[in-house]
Structure formats: C-alpha cells, structure tokens
Amino acid sequence: MPRNRFELIKRYLHFADNEHLPTGDKIAKVRPLFEELNRVLLQFGVIHPQLSIDEQMVPYFGRHSSKMFMKGKPVRFGFKLWVLASSDGYPYQVEMYTGKNAGPGEGRAGCESLGLGGDVVLRLLECLQTPAQHHVFFDNYFSSYALMIALRQRGIRATGTVRDNRLKKCPLPDNKTAEKAPRGQHWYQSTNGVLAVKWRDNRAVTVVTNHSDISPLKDVQRWSGDEKKKVTVKQPNLIYEYNQYMGGVDLVDGAVAAYRPVIRWKKWYGTLVTNAFGLLRVASWRMYRSCTGRSVDQLVFTREVALELLKNPRQEPCPPNVTGSGPGPSSGRVTVVSRTAQNHFIVPAATQGRCKLCQKNTRTMCSICQVRLHNHCSQNYHT
C-alpha cells in the first residue's frame, strides 16, 4: 500500500456518525468500536473457568478529558481500560474508563451502587451465561464485602485481595500487629458465606472470598534473610489460587505492548484503535495456541497473519508467455490480476531497457510480469 493511500485512509477513518453523536459521552466516537470488539471477542462462546479483572493503560500524551495519570505505573499517561481476561491471557471484555461521573455505557441503572470498582466487576461479568462455572479474581481496587455478597447472590465465585476498611470492621488483627507475628501465620473470619483471611508473608496481606477455603495449606518457598536461604512457609489455599490465576490481564497487556505499532495520529482516539487491533491479535494468537496445541511465538504468528492478509484472494496463475519458456503474460499488456498477484521479485535482466514506470534505463525486471522495473518502482507498479 502506498504511503499516501494509508494516510488517506487514516484521514477518513471514523467509527460513528459525527452528526448523530450522543451527548454526554466522552468516547462517543469510538463507542461502536468497543461494542464490536467485545462482540468479536465473545463470538466463540467458550469462556475460561478462571477469570481475572484488572486495568490496562493505553499510552497517550495528547489532550483529552479521559486521559489518566498513574503514578508509579509503567505507563503513567494514557487511557485506562477495564479488562476481563482468562488466567492464560485471552481477553473477553474491554471497557474504557471516562472519569468518576458515569457516562453512557457505565453504571447500573436501577441497582444500588457498589462503588466504582464493584460496578465495573458486575458490568464486565454480565457476559457470563453460566456464572456458576467460573471463578473470578481481582485486586483490592475492586474488592469489598458488599461486592462479595452481591456476587454470591448471583452464583459467581470470587476471590480477591481487599483493603481492611472495606471489611465492615471484621475482627482481624491490624497490619502492624500481624507483621510482628512469624511468617506463615494466618487469621480468618467467616460471615454470611464470605471468608476473610489475613496472612503474614513479607508483609501482612488480606484476601476475601465467597467460595474458597483455607485448607488445604500449601507449602511455598520464601527467602529468609536471617538464615540466608529459602525456607518452607505454609500458605492458605485461597491465597495460593489467587497467585496462580490473577495475572491474566497482565499477560494480555504484556503481549499487546510487546508489538504495539507506533503510528502517528492527529485524532485523539488513534491509540485506542491500534490497541483494539492489538487485543484482537493477542486473542487470535491465544486461540490458535489453544486449538492447535502448538507453542507458536507471537512474532512468528503475527508475521504469518500479516502475510495471509496481504495475499490477493483473486490471485490466479500467470499464463505462459508467447515463447512458452517461462511465466509471463500471453500478450504485451499485463493484466490487473497478474500485476497485483503476490511473489513478484525484481531480478537481473540480460539486457538493458527502459523501466515500465519511470521510463529510465534499468537492468532489472519483474520475475512474474516480465517487464522492466527498478526496485524502487516495483511497489507502486504492483498496487
């Protein structure tokens, strides 16, 4: 594709009618893109039993009211996305955060609010057709006692780290007291089917669940500064499950960021478009590996997909030339199908002649079209 054509496509690329944009929606221009993205990610209808919910930052340094600043994050400036993904890194639902005040597509009409994090979890889990078959994991940004009760009423199993001020004054020791205890000690309290556990690791960590249990205790290895070696520490089962299945969104984010295309956009939503295609690329890569059982590298898979997309579906074999000595057009005029077919290579010519495009002398020619071409003229001629 010529550069001018690519820039022309970017210039007129729109996802919504500017004359009929809903008022009050900060991302109305890309709202149809996110709706179609979520539909495509769910089109096969097979959702992993272990799910995780977390945030993803899309780099953006321009001006927009939805741009966020996250101190201490690898991506400090950009748009924040809420992502529902499997434990092995397949994305299922994506939602963009546009600010504290809920806009179109946010909030839960007719329902009591559970806070920003709780409402995000309930919205992302609306796509589950059989909630009882899934176990959801999230961090302390989303967790609360009220959220665990709401998920239990919906038949959804959930586990997550939690802040102590969201446990309705649960009688667990505070962090200062817990950090004085020996490593591996734990405390727990159960109320209305919700279990809260505080475990002493390097620091005190609190985990809440509406399904899992403490037993069986797992043996984990931790480094001991006093003994200068790794020691075995007892770990509650729900914390072991949380560490095993929580990192799905981080796997998605890392895979997208590994091969993020760098394209300059004048439109503010350009980076969201490239990120959406990155999510689709990662989803197709994960699905290919799951279906075939092959451990294919993401870069190799991306290259193969790119080559397949560049192939012309109308490709036809070129007829032999007049002498029958090799491939080429049967007449002096090259057909459009032949000229736009793949596998055109510039090879040395036996004699000198004029280039078909720039009319300057050259000693190279196209191996398929059998016409004189410079190497730098080949791309424009074959498009």
Side-chain angles (χ1 to χ4, degrees):
M1 179 186 298
R3 181 189 60 185
N4 293 342
R5 176 174 173 81
F6 177 73
E7 293 181 350
L8 195 64
I9 292 175
K10 282 203 310 176
R11 179 180 178 183
Y12 294 102
L13 183 62
H14 293 273
F15 301 94
D17 189 354
N18 291 337
E19 297 181 355
H20 300 88
L21 294 178
T23 58
D25 189 2
K26 297 180 181 179
I27 59 169
K29 290 191 174 183
V30 290
R31 182 72 67 181
L33 174 64
F34 281 98
E35 293 176 354
E36 182 65 15
L37 175 64
N38 291 330
R39 187 194 67 81
V40 171
L41 293 176
L42 289 173
Q43 63 180 342
F44 297 102
V46 179
I47 302 180
H48 201 272
Q50 286 79 27
L51 305 173
S52 63
I53 296 177
D54 207 345
E55 63 185 22
Q56 178 194 16
M57 289 294 293
V58 181
Y60 178 69
F61 297 95
R63 297 182 179 181
H64 194 269
S65 58
S66 297
K67 185 180 74 171
M68 304 292 296
F69 170 70
M70 304 293 291
K71 184 178 180 180
K73 295 287 186 177
V75 179
R76 295 187 300 162
F77 296 93
F79 298 113
K80 180 188 290 188
L81 304 181
W82 310 118
V83 182
L84 171 67
S86 65
S87 60
D88 59 355
Y90 183 93
Y92 292 109
Q93 288 286 280
V94 181
E95 178 183 307
M96 180 174 169
Y97 176 58
T98 58
K100 184 177 180 180
N101 298 325
E106 300 181 12
R108 297 177 300 119
C111 299
E112 180 182 357
S113 176
L114 298 176
L116 174 61
D119 290 343
V120 168
V121 171
L122 295 182
R123 284 199 304 271
L124 292 178
L125 294 180
E126 289 177 355
C127 64
L128 301 181
Q129 298 181 356
T130 55
Q133 298 181 3
H134 306 282
H135 194 162
V136 187
F137 300 85
F138 37 79
D139 59 18
N140 57 19
Y141 185 89
F142 307 92
S143 298
S144 66
Y145 176 80
L147 176 61
M148 289 296 170
I149 293 295
L151 293 177
R152 182 179 177 85
Q153 294 174 352
R154 289 166 171 77
I156 302 176
R157 298 173 293 169
T159 302
T161 55
V162 66
R163 303 171 186 176
D164 290 346
N165 58 359
R166 296 184 181 180
L167 287 178
K168 299 292 183 180
K169 298 182 179 180
C170 181
L172 292 176
D174 56 11
N175 291 339
K176 291 184 179 180
T177 304
E179 290 176 1
K180 296 178 182 179
R183 179 182 289 180
Q185 186 172 347
H186 65 273
W187 303 263
Y188 64 93
Q189 183 69 32
S190 179
T191 305
N192 296 330
V194 177
L195 175 65
V197 178
K198 186 180 290 289
W199 180 57
R200 169 68 166 88
D201 194 12
N202 294 332
R203 293 184 178 180
V205 58
T206 307
V207 179
V208 63
T209 181
N210 62 4
H211 170 73
S212 298
D213 199 357
I214 297 174
S215 59
L217 295 177
K218 303 290 185 178
D219 292 332
V220 294
Q221 299 293 320
R222 292 292 186 270
W223 176 261
S224 175
D226 298 334
E227 302 181 17
K228 303 300 181 181
K229 65 177 183 179
K230 289 186 177 182
V231 297
T232 302
V233 179
K234 294 294 183 180
Q235 185 183 63
N237 181 61
L238 73 165
I239 299 179
Y240 176 82
E241 291 182 349
Y242 177 85
N243 292 334
Q244 186 176 7
Y245 299 118
M246 176 55 196
V249 179
D250 293 335
L251 293 176
V252 174
D253 193 14
V256 173
Y259 303 104
R260 190 189 304 275
V262 181
I263 303 176
R264 296 182 63 181
W265 295 78
K266 292 186 177 180
K267 297 181 174 66
W268 64 268
Y269 52 81
T271 182
L272 293 175
V273 176
T274 56
N275 188 77
F277 282 102
L279 289 171
L280 293 174
R281 183 193 72 238
V282 172
S284 59
W285 172 54
R286 294 291 185 186
M287 183 168 295
Y288 178 81
R289 295 184 57 173
S290 177
C291 295
T292 61
R294 297 175 56 192
S295 181
V296 180
D297 182 76
Q298 184 185 180
L299 179 59
V300 176
F301 176 81
T302 304
R303 286 172 174 170
E304 292 295 331
V305 171
L307 291 176
E308 289 296 326
L309 292 176
L310 289 173
K311 287 183 179 179
N312 192 339
R314 299 176 303 170
Q315 181 177 350
E316 297 178 0
C318 297
N321 56 14
V322 178
T323 60
S325 60
S330 56
S331 62
R333 182 173 180 269
V334 181
T335 63
V336 176
V337 174
S338 172
R339 187 163 57 87
T340 58
Q342 300 301 308
N343 301 325
H344 290 259
F345 299 99
I346 300 300
V347 296
T351 58
Q352 180 174 296
R354 291 188 178 274
C355 176
K356 185 72 173 179
L357 199 64
C358 66
Q359 298 300 316
K360 295 182 179 179
N361 289 339
T362 179
R363 285 186 175 272
T364 57
M365 63 185 301
C366 178
S367 60
I368 301 298
C369 303
Q370 296 294 306
V371 295
R372 307 279 182 176
L373 280 175
H374 286 106
N375 193 19
H376 61 272
C377 296
S378 173
Q379 182 179 2
N380 294 331
Y381 181 78
H382 291 116
T383 55

